[in-house]
């Protein structure tokens, strides 16, 4: 069963790697710090994010995440994420993300996790799209403080559009500096398809996290 799951994930990873790569490309970054507090079955995270685009030369926007999650059992959990944005042009936007999360061990060193997300835009200063998202990922224990990560994500547009409009292919690793501090770096290949201006973006996601 675990081999079948791994093969499905590998197929999805390869599929996303080839469906895009458009003539128009960009390099961007998401830089963040996060503060986490665990209390029983609950977890709380505060995470401000700053983004750059146009080959890292231009400040794009900033946002803040407020995240509340709850474990249901050893494999299942639920999460709510509130993200408020301050855009470069002075407009603001707000998203709600509702997640159902599942994780299992494929072996002593490999864990497969996935979330199903309802991506809801609040349409403050303009109309944003809404999506259903699926994000499987694999993390690997290496016997050191470094934990490699591989992930893929699909964005299915709803609002009556009903088509795949975005995909992300992710690779990276986290490093446990201490029991409280963690550094993570991921690189995304993000493809925006079924739009007037298809775009491939390569995004560096860097976070410094502290756990209370």
């Amino acid at each position: 069963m675990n081999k079948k799951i791994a093969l499905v994930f590998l197929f999805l990873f390869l599929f996303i790697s080839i469906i895009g790569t458009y003539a128009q490309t960009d390099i961007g970054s998401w830089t963040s710090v996060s503060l986490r507090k665990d209390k029983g079955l609950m977890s709380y995270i505060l995470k401000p994010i700053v983004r750059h685009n146009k080959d890292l030369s231009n400040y794009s926007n900033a946002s803040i995440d407020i995240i509340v999650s709850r474990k249901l059992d050893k494999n299942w959990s639920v999460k709510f994420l509130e993200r408020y944005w301050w855009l470069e042009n002075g407009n603001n936007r707000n998203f709600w993300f509702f997640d159902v999360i599942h994780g299992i061990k494929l072996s002593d060193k490999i864990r497969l996790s996935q979330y199903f997300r309802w991506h809801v835009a609040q349409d403050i200063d303009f109309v944003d799209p809404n999506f259903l998202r699926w994000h499987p990922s694999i993390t690997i224990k290496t016997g050191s403080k470094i934990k490699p990560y591989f992930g893929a994500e699909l964005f299915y547009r709803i609002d009556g559009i009903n088509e795949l409009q975005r995909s992300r292919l992710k690779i990276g690793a986290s490093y446990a500096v201490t029991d409280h501090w963690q550094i993570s770096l991921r690189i995304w290949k993000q493809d925006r398809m079924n739009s007037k201006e298809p775009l491939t973006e390569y995004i560096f996601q860097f976070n410094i996290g502290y756990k209370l």
Side-chain angles (χ1 to χ4, degrees), residues 95-146:
F95 293 148
W96 289 347
F97 301 138
F98 300 90
D99 295 356
V100 176
I101 305 164
H102 181 259
I104 58 171
K105 284 187 175 182
L106 300 182
S107 70
D108 290 339
K109 294 185 177 181
I110 301 175
R111 182 175 179 82
L112 171 66
S113 300
Q114 57 185 321
Y115 67 65
F116 299 91
R117 171 171 289 181
W118 182 24
H119 170 141
V120 183
Q122 299 303 303
D123 300 337
I124 296 178
D125 291 328
F126 54 90
V127 176
D128 262 315
N130 298 295
F131 296 94
L132 296 177
R133 294 162 57 176
W134 176 44
H135 177 28
S137 64
I138 284 178
T139 53
I140 303 171
K141 290 184 178 180
T142 61
S144 69
K145 294 183 177 182
I146 298 175

Side-chain angles (χ1 to χ4, degrees), residues 7 19 31 61 99 131 138 153 165 168 171 185 201:
L7 287 173
I19 60 175
T31 306
N61 58 69
D99 295 356
F131 296 94
I138 284 178
E153 187 166 14
Q165 286 200 342
R168 287 175 181 168
I171 186 170
L185 175 64
E201 298 168 280

Side-chain angles (χ1 to χ4, degrees), residues 4-22:
K4 290 181 179 179
I5 294 173
L7 287 173
V8 169
F9 181 83
L10 178 60
F11 174 79
L12 177 66
F13 197 83
L14 294 174
F15 171 73
I16 292 179
S17 70
I18 62 175
I19 60 175
T21 307
Y22 299 101

Side-chain angles (χ1 to χ4, degrees), residues 22 163-165 191-199:
Y22 299 101
E163 64 182 10
L164 184 67
Q165 286 200 342
D191 294 305
R192 299 175 184 264
M193 70 283 290
N194 293 319
S195 64
K196 294 180 180 179
E197 297 181 357
L199 174 67

